Amino acid sequence: MSGIGTARGVFLSTLLASTALTTVAFAADSGGIETVVVTAEKRTENMQHVPIAIQVLGTQKIEELHIQSFTDYAAMLPSVSFSPNAAGGGLNDPGFANVYFRGITSGNDGNHSGSEPSVGIYLDEQPITTIGGALDIHTYDIARVEALAGPQGTLYGASSEAGTIRVITNKPDPSGFSAAYDAEVNDIDHGGIGGTGEGFINIPLSDHAAIRIVGWDEHDAGYVDNIAGTDAAAGIVNGVRTYPVGNISVSNAPFLKKDENDTDIFGGRAALKIDLNNNWTITPSFMGQKTEAHGSYAFNPAAGDLDVIKFGPEYSNDSWYQAALTIEGKIANLDLTYAGAYMGRHIHSVLEYSDYSFFYDQYYGQYIVNNAGNLIDPAQTIIGKDYFTKNSQELRVTSPASDRFRYTAGLFYEQQTHAIFQDYTIKDLAQNLWVPGFADTIWLTQEWRVDTDYAAFGEASFDILPNLTLTAGGRLFESDNSLRGYFGYSDQYDNDVGSTSGMIGCPDPTADHICQNLNKKTDAHGFTHKVNLNWQVDDDRMLYFTWSTGFRPGGVNRIALVTDQPYRPDFLTNYEVGWKTSWFDNTLRFNGDVFLENWKDFQFSFLGPNSVTVIANAGQAQSKGIEGQLDWRATQDLTLSGSAAFTDAHLTQPYCKDPTDCAAAGSLQAPNGQQLPITPKFKANATGRYNFDAFGWPSYVQATVMYNGSSWNDLRTVERDILGKNPAYTVANFSFGVARDNWTADILLENAFDERANLYRYSECTPGVCGAEPYIISNQPRTIAFKVGQKF
């Protein structure tokens, strides 16, 4: 820890000191609404001329809204919803969110052995999506965030079934030196003191080369307290838990801590741009980030607001890096782009799992003994070690945008690996209950997962008339998924509890070492398409229609309840009518769309026997809705903006545990018409900003209001009744700032009315066993911050 602190201090001190080389004057914005240039269709275009549903947060908007993380920008994207990866004892720390578009979610995603994501996330040209959750990239020196709603499978592939998020960084600029830094200190109600230091420097090396270096160091203060509280349903009185079998009592006194969920984030990126000549450019880059999160971000409402009662430590250390290379050039009149990247991600985590132990002890009457045969504290601790790699390669050519017939075509390859290690330990466990070779281990998951995708894609546009364009595209794909290794109990415990997983499934269950009881693979191939017709009514108005499809690869189940089959790919078909309009000399912009999406054979994850994740193809669902975005520069100094989405996502046939017999007792899990989980029916935000002059200093005041409707966390009716519903919430942020020369200063009041938003709720084990004992992950309480910055 001391080495990390020293390294980050030297790095940021050097970076911030180097920014003092020169100065430029602060300049106020003028004219109409900011023009946003995007590369969503893999060519550079004005957003208003791109015939897809896209919402963009540009550099100016990111700075004005003080966006620093995924949670910040997701709140401003009405079509986007997310859930922390907390189901079944998963991590609820930053950097493990599952992301969704337009309600295309069945809930409970993110298990290491489960479905791939349905939303692709890109850092510049390279995919960074992982099954463990979306990387939470610190949002500083970012050109824009592009949110592409609806299937993007033609140009972006398997993990873009429902949409794509692209984080585009600012590139090295040989034309001149520039630099900046920002520093912030903040105080969280009910919590502690946090702060952030961040900066960048752009250094021209010659007329044809430049390097850009960015760094950040962030401390997020905690606000959840581990207390000696009471939760009678979980057997806890004044911080002492008594287990049903043997009346064993355990105190959480050694682990009491105020504001336990603090987080430290340290990272940086560097990019080098070299113009070899007028036609060819190479841009190698490297980015890395380390997140150290402590405690639990979820609180237990039975214990109190922002309180938990935990009987052991919890933390996660998440480190990742990505090395990337982009080569851009021309062959004849064709633009050629190569984008390759290699990403590695290491996660080491410890989770306290005593709720699971208590409720299974109560439900099944289990006994956990030591070598002497005496009953012991059965509380489990999960020690997790995960290592991800992602190798992606793409080569594409693009014809001139000015041609009447123009096209993009390319090849894509991606391989993801995941080394999975989860060790469920009980202190002083009898040796005959150990998983062989692992002391005190009652359950072990040690698996190796590989997902490989190959694709050839193309998209062509033809101008039927100067203002009427037809676009058609397709993607041929092949995917392979394999999972091998070991999961389960020891042979003795298998026999004691009647389990069918673990050593009982080994060829030699009496061996003194674990065997491989899992070795499965599956593959799929197919085709997705996109057809788009857009009419440029005039220079400021466009209408379009899109018919597109997306897919998500299937995979293998470790166990099966009805049949021992892999789960199949699911497919999404999208019908969309949209508009892009600008009015009154580009002082008013109104974009929107209406959509209908049919989701076939969608993959649904749930906890089966022994809380092992099972994935089933649940049937059919549909999402329909309307999305809109309005930006209005009412005067030179007053800007108003807002965006909203109404989404009706629901089942179009019942989901049954046994799809061959819905009428069987207990088979019906969710009826036809049931609302899909996670996504609210209505989500909206609005921002007002007024610029004025205060004693010769350019100043501003700003207010942002965000509304999120109510939502469920599970698809199934019984589980919904147990866990409850996330109520609707409204959050308001206010800020005030001044500028002087090249200095800026801001005062921020975030979550001004201390709204306790329920972002997600879960229990540590199957709700039918753990009962109505939900944990709730909430937003950050009211926070006041002071921020200063300087640009050079």
Side-chain angles (χ1 to χ4, degrees):
M1 291 294 293
S2 59
I4 292 172
T6 301
R8 65 166 59 136
V10 170
F11 176 77
L12 281 174
S13 297
T14 302
L15 177 65
L16 298 182
S18 68
T19 62
L21 299 176
T22 188
T23 63
V24 297
F26 174 88
D29 183 36
S30 62
I33 299 171
E34 176 190 19
T35 297
V36 178
V37 175
V38 300
T39 52
E41 295 192 310
K42 304 208 171 181
R43 61 171 79 235
T44 302
E45 301 169 288
N46 184 331
M47 181 188 72
Q48 290 301 99
H49 297 157
V50 179
I52 60 176
I54 176 173
Q55 187 172 354
V56 179
L57 299 174
T59 301
Q60 179 179 329
K61 204 70 172 177
I62 290 171
E63 292 179 355
E64 289 179 353
L65 295 173
H66 307 287
I67 288 173
Q68 289 187 321
S69 66
F70 166 79
T71 304
D72 293 336
Y73 67 74
M76 303 304 296
L77 302 172
S79 299
V80 174
S81 56
F82 70 95
S83 66
N85 186 7
L91 297 167
N92 55 50
D93 300 327
F96 302 100
N98 301 304
V99 187
Y100 311 104
F101 267 94
R102 292 178 170 175
I104 301 301
T105 169
S106 57
N108 296 333
D109 298 310
N111 181 267
H112 50 68
S113 303
S115 302
E116 290 192 28
S118 64
V119 171
I121 299 180
Y122 279 67
L123 176 62
D124 293 320
E125 292 281 352
Q126 292 80 19
I128 56 171
T129 315
T130 70
I131 294 169
L135 297 182
D136 195 357
I137 299 171
H138 185 83
T139 311
Y140 183 74
D141 193 38
I142 296 297
R144 63 189 178 276
V145 176
E146 301 177 2
L148 288 62
Q152 305 297 324
T154 302
L155 294 180
Y156 292 99
S159 289
S160 293
E161 177 188 39
T164 300
I165 293 176
R166 306 179 69 231
V167 179
I168 311 299
T169 62
N170 286 319
K171 304 301 186 292
D173 181 5
S175 67
F177 175 88
S178 62
Y181 69 86
D182 292 276
E184 176 186 314
V185 62
N186 55 66
D187 183 10
I188 302 176
D189 272 15
H190 322 285
I193 304 293
T196 302
E198 53 198 3
F200 83 86
I201 184 169
N202 181 88
I203 305 174
L205 303 177
S206 71
D207 291 340
H208 307 288
I211 187 170
R212 195 178 192 97
I213 302 172
V214 186
W216 55 89
D217 189 359
E218 177 181 349
H219 174 70
D220 296 332
Y223 48 84
V224 175
D225 301 336
N226 190 14
I227 66 169
T230 296
D231 183 355
I236 304 172
V237 177
N238 296 327
V240 177
R241 165 171 271 159
T242 302
Y243 287 89
V245 177
N247 289 321
I248 294 173
S249 296
V250 181
S251 172
N252 75 337
F255 309 104
L256 300 180
K257 187 176 181 180
K258 179 174 173 54
D259 308 329
E260 70 163 3
N261 63 318
D262 62 305
T263 301
D264 292 293
I265 303 171
F266 167 64
R269 72 174 186 268
L272 173 67
K273 181 180 180 181
I274 303 175
D275 295 327
L276 300 177
N277 54 40
N278 291 334
N279 292 328
W280 289 88
T281 299
I282 62 172
T283 309
S285 62
F286 184 87
M287 182 174 183
Q289 181 171 288
K290 182 178 180 64
T291 302
E292 297 177 344
H294 313 102
S296 173
Y297 271 73
F299 71 92
N300 180 355
D305 182 39
L306 300 178
D307 291 331
V308 291
I309 310 170
K310 292 287 186 175
F311 293 81
E314 291 190 317
Y315 64 84
S316 68
N317 294 329
D318 179 11
S319 301
W320 61 267
Y321 68 89
Q322 178 178 269
L325 175 65
T326 302
I327 302 175
E328 299 166 289
K330 277 187 175 294
I331 299 178
N333 69 338
L334 298 178
D335 292 327
L336 182 144
T337 302
Y338 163 78
Y342 184 86
M343 184 182 74
R345 185 183 191 186
H346 295 261
I347 302 171
H348 178 216
S349 60
V350 171
L351 292 172
E352 189 263 21
Y353 213 39
S354 63
D355 277 7
Y356 176 96
S357 304
F358 174 85
F359 285 105
Y360 269 80
D361 196 40
Q362 182 182 71
Y363 192 82
Y364 291 110
Q366 301 183 50
Y367 61 92
I368 301 296
V369 298
N370 58 19
N371 285 330
N374 299 320
L375 292 171
I376 59 173
D377 175 7
Q380 297 183 28
T381 299
I382 306 175
I383 301 171
K385 297 178 182 178
D386 295 85
Y387 178 55
F388 302 84
T389 69
K390 181 189 284 283
N391 176 12
S392 64
Q393 311 287 328
E394 179 173 311
L395 180 67
R396 67 177 186 269
V397 294
T398 304
S399 65
S402 59
D403 290 355
R404 185 179 184 186
F405 175 79
R406 52 199 177 273
Y407 60 88
T408 297
L411 301 172
F412 177 79
Y413 164 81
E414 178 183 85
Q415 184 174 79
Q416 305 177 74
T417 67
H418 184 186
I420 305 160
F421 179 84
Q422 288 194 334
D423 188 358
Y424 293 67
T425 65
I426 299 176
K427 186 178 179 181
D428 298 327
L429 181 67
Q431 188 169 350
N432 69 320
L433 299 179
W434 294 359
V435 172
F438 294 85
D440 290 338
T441 297
I442 192 168
W443 175 284
L444 180 71
T445 300
Q446 189 172 29
E447 299 170 355
W448 176 254
R449 174 173 180 163
V450 180
D451 294 273
T452 307
D453 296 282
Y454 310 86
F457 62 90
E459 189 170 284
S461 298
F462 178 71
D463 294 333
I464 303 171
L465 298 171
N467 63 344
L468 184 65
T469 302
L470 176 67
T471 300
R475 190 180 189 98
L476 286 167
F477 68 88
E478 180 178 338
S479 63
D480 301 295
N481 168 261
S482 65
L483 189 62
R484 58 184 173 86
Y486 177 86
F487 72 101
Y489 297 113
S490 67
D491 176 47
Q492 180 63 50
Y493 198 79
D494 273 335
N495 290 327
D496 289 345
V497 301
S499 171
T500 58
S501 60
M503 295 296 291
I504 203 76
C506 291
D508 180 10
T510 61
D512 59 358
H513 61 278
I514 63 169
C515 66
Q516 180 174 284
N517 65 355
L518 172 65
N519 188 7
K520 297 181 179 181
K521 66 180 302 181
T522 186
D523 56 57
H525 58 85
F527 176 78
T528 62
H529 72 265
K530 171 185 173 182
V531 177
N532 175 276
L533 183 67
N534 76 84
W535 175 32
Q536 193 73 45
V537 181
D538 55 36
D539 290 342
D540 296 324
R541 283 164 281 276
M542 179 182 69
L543 300 174
Y544 69 87
F545 166 77
T546 299
W547 169 36
S548 58
T549 58
F551 73 99
R552 178 168 54 167
V556 299
N557 271 309
R558 292 180 290 174
I559 63 174
L561 298 182
V562 179
T563 59
D564 189 23
Q565 292 180 352
Y567 55 94
R568 303 183 304 278
D570 56 19
F571 293 87
L572 185 68
T573 301
N574 171 61
Y575 306 94
E576 179 180 314
V577 175
W579 58 91
K580 302 283 183 75
T581 65
S582 299
W583 306 84
F584 312 119
D585 296 325
N586 195 36
T587 59
L588 178 67
R589 185 166 61 204
F590 178 45
N591 299 339
D593 62 86
V594 292
F595 64 87
L596 173 66
E597 297 186 338
N598 293 318
W599 198 13
K600 180 181 179 183
D601 293 332
F602 70 86
Q603 297 162 14
F604 175 64
S605 302
F606 60 95
L607 297 179
N610 303 316
S611 288
V612 174
T613 297
V614 178
I615 304 94
N617 290 95
Q620 319 299 324
Q622 184 180 90
S623 179
K624 55 187 177 181
I626 182 169
E627 302 161 327
Q629 180 181 1
L630 179 69
D631 295 284
W632 181 29
R633 190 152 196 170
T635 70
Q636 183 67 28
D637 298 317
L638 177 62
T639 303
L640 303 174
S641 62
S643 55
F646 173 80
T647 307
D648 179 14
H650 58 274
L651 293 176
T652 54
Q653 70 179 52
Y655 166 55
C656 300
K657 190 173 183 180
D658 181 356
T660 64
D661 187 5
C662 276
S667 180
L668 179 63
Q669 302 290 295
N672 185 18
Q674 185 106 302
Q675 181 184 349
L676 298 184
I678 309 300
T679 302
K681 286 195 171 184
F682 185 68
K683 180 182 177 183
N685 64 77
T687 299
R689 184 183 180 93
Y690 181 69
N691 297 314
F692 61 97
D693 185 89
F695 307 105
W697 291 22
S699 306
Y700 79 91
V701 290
Q702 178 176 281
T704 299
V705 178
M706 295 163 285
Y707 174 82
N708 202 92
S710 61
S711 63
W712 299 96
N713 289 117
D714 203 292
L715 176 66
R716 298 161 295 175
T717 303
V718 172
E719 282 69 16
R720 287 184 173 188
D721 292 341
I722 294 173
L723 290 176
K725 192 175 188 180
N726 297 318
Y729 61 86
T730 302
V731 173
N733 297 336
F734 302 99
S735 59
F736 164 76
V738 298
R740 181 76 172 184
D741 298 326
N742 64 332
W743 288 89
T744 59
D746 303 88
I747 296 175
L748 316 175
L749 181 60
E750 299 181 335
N751 191 8
F753 304 107
D754 202 24
E755 177 82 354
R756 195 72 68 244
N758 288 194
L759 304 179
Y760 192 77
R761 56 181 62 210
Y762 68 97
S763 60
E764 282 192 356
C765 62
T766 307
V769 175
C770 282
E773 283 294 308
Y775 286 85
I776 295 175
I777 300 175
S778 73
N779 60 334
Q780 186 168 293
R782 178 172 45 232
T783 302
I784 187 168
F786 177 68
K787 183 176 182 179
V788 295
Q790 192 175 16
K791 293 182 178 181
F792 305 94

